[in-house]
C-alpha cells in the first residue's frame, strides 16, 4: 500500500507565491497557475512522482469543496488535513470492514464538479472514504480507489513533476501527535483491518512545527534538498 496524496489548506495567494519561491530554490517544480478552479475554491498540485500535494484555497463560504474540510477551513484550521492511501480492495468492502472493527469510516464518495451553470457534471475516476483525525493530530487518514485504467490515463497530467529532478516519490509519512499512544493504537486498528503494513508512523509532537514529515526517495545522483510544503516537511528517506 502506498501514499497517494496529501490535502492541505492555505489562505492567501501570497502564501502560494512564497511557497513557489522556496520550491524553486530547492529545485522542485511547481506551477500553481496550472491548477483548477470550481465554485468557491481553487486547487493546485505539487507532483512528486506518483504522489502529490493537493493545495486548496477556499475563496467563498458558498463553495462546492468537501463539506467537512470547508467547515474546518471556516473554523480557521490551515495546513495538512488528510493523507490518502491508495487501495486495491473494493472500497465499499473496505468501509464495511472498517465499520465492523469499530472505526468511524465515512460514506464512500466520488469526486464530481458541476460546471456551466450547473448544467453539466464531471465525475472523476476514483472513489474515496475518510476516517476521523488520529488522536492528538488534525490528520485524517483517507483511502482512495481508482477506476480501472484511471492511473495510466492520469499519468500525462502529473506535470510538472519533481521526478524529472531526481525526486522519485514519497515512501513513508511520520504523523506528529500530542497523544502518540492513542494515535499508535488507532493506527494499529487500521493496520489490523487492512492486513498489511501501512507506510505510516507516529511520533510525539514535542514542539514540532510540522504536522507531517514525509520521507522521499531520491535518485542516487540527485542533489538532495529538504523542503517544506506549508506544515509538511519532506526529507530523504
Amino acid at each position: 500500500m502506498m501514499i497517494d496524496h496529501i490535502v492541505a489548506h492555505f489562505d492567501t495567494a501570497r502564501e502560494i507565491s512564497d511557497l513557489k519561491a522556496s520550491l524553486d530554490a530547492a529545485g522542485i517544480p511547481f506551477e500553481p497557475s496550472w491548477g483548477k478552479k470550481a465554485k468557491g475554491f481553487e486547487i493546485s498540485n505539487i507532483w512528486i512522482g506518483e504522489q502529490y500535494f493537493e493545495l486548496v484555497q477556499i475563496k467563498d463560504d458558498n463553495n462546492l469543496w468537501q463539506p467537512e474540510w470547508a467547515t474546518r477551513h471556516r473554523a480557521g484550521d490551515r495546513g495538512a488535513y488528510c493523507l490518502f492511501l491508495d487501495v486495491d480492495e473494493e472500497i465499499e468492502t473496505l468501509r464495511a470492514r472498517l465499520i465492523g472493527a469499530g472505526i468511524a469510516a465515512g460514506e464512500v464518495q466520488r469526486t464530481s464538479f458541476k460546471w456551466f451553470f450547473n448544467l453539466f457534471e464531471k465525475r472523476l475516476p476514483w472513489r474515496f472514504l475518510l476516517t476521523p483525525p488520529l488522536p492528538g493530530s488534525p490528520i485524517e487518514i483517507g483511502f482512495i480507489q481508482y477506476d480501472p485504467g484511471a492511473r495510466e490515463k492520469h499519468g500525462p497530467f502529473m506535470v510538472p513533476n519533481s521526478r524529472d529532478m531526481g525526486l522519485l516519490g514519497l515512501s513513508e509519512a511520520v504523523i506528529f501527535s500530542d497523544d502518540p499512544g492513542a494515535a499508535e493504537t488507532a493506527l494499529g486498528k487500521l493496520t489490523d483491518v487492512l492486513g498489511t503494513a501501512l507506510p505510516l508512523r507516529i511520533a510525539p509532537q514535542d514542539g514540532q512545527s510540522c504536522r507531517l514529515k514525509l520521507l522521499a526517495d531520491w535518485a542516487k545522483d540527485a542533489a538532495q534538498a529538504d523542503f517544506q510544503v506549508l506544515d509538511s516537511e519532506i526529507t530523504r528517506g
Side-chain angles (χ1 to χ4, degrees):
M1 186 171 295
M2 69 178 188
I3 295 169
D4 188 80
H5 70 283
I6 298 97
V7 176
H9 279 224
F10 67 96
D11 262 328
T12 66
R14 176 62 183 270
E15 286 178 85
I16 288 298
S17 177
D18 290 347
L19 175 59
K20 177 169 172 53
S22 68
L23 292 178
D24 285 348
I28 306 300
F30 175 41
E31 293 296 342
S33 62
W34 294 9
K36 303 178 181 66
K37 298 180 181 180
K39 182 178 180 181
F41 68 96
E42 297 181 6
I43 290 174
S44 53
N45 293 336
I46 301 171
W47 293 101
I48 303 173
E50 293 188 356
Q51 289 79 47
Y52 64 101
F53 278 88
E54 184 175 48
L55 305 180
V56 182
Q57 182 183 21
I58 301 290
K59 309 285 284 188
D60 192 307
D61 283 347
N62 183 20
N63 62 74
L64 296 177
W65 184 233
Q66 185 70 22
E68 300 97 317
W69 295 338
T71 297
R72 286 180 62 173
H73 190 98
R74 283 195 298 273
D77 191 15
R78 302 293 183 271
Y81 278 24
C82 184
L83 186 149
F84 275 93
L85 300 175
D86 183 5
V87 295
D88 294 325
E89 180 180 0
E90 167 54 45
I91 200 163
E92 292 281 6
T93 303
L94 173 58
R95 178 176 185 268
R97 294 202 299 114
L98 290 168
I99 290 174
I103 297 169
E107 296 289 338
V108 173
Q109 304 176 58
R110 183 180 290 275
T111 304
S112 63
F113 298 110
K114 292 185 178 180
W115 55 287
F116 196 68
F117 305 105
N118 290 333
L119 294 177
F120 300 99
E121 182 180 46
K122 181 176 179 62
R123 293 165 58 84
L124 299 182
W126 57 76
R127 293 176 297 155
F128 69 93
L129 66 82
L130 303 173
T131 62
L134 291 170
S137 167
I139 302 298
E140 302 171 11
I141 304 301
F143 298 95
I144 187 167
Q145 180 189 31
Y146 287 87
D147 294 350
R151 270 200 170 278
E152 292 75 11
K153 293 178 182 177
H154 201 45
F157 301 101
M158 296 179 179
V159 291
N161 199 309
S162 67
R163 181 169 45 205
D164 300 329
M165 312 302 293
L167 176 51
L168 305 178
L170 302 174
S171 58
E172 188 178 21
V174 179
I175 301 171
F176 294 108
S177 169
D178 288 323
D179 191 352
E184 287 275 13
T185 298
L187 185 57
K189 287 183 69 175
L190 285 174
T191 302
D192 289 345
V193 171
L194 290 157
T196 186
L198 304 182
L200 307 175
R201 287 191 282 129
I202 305 296
Q205 189 73 53
D206 283 353
Q208 291 281 343
S209 60
C210 291
R211 294 180 174 182
L212 283 174
K213 177 184 286 187
L214 295 148
L215 307 185
D217 295 327
W218 291 78
K220 290 183 179 180
D221 58 350
Q224 176 190 355
D226 294 350
F227 61 96
Q228 281 194 208
V229 175
L230 303 179
D231 58 359
S232 296
E233 178 186 357
I234 294 85
T235 188
R236 183 183 287 273

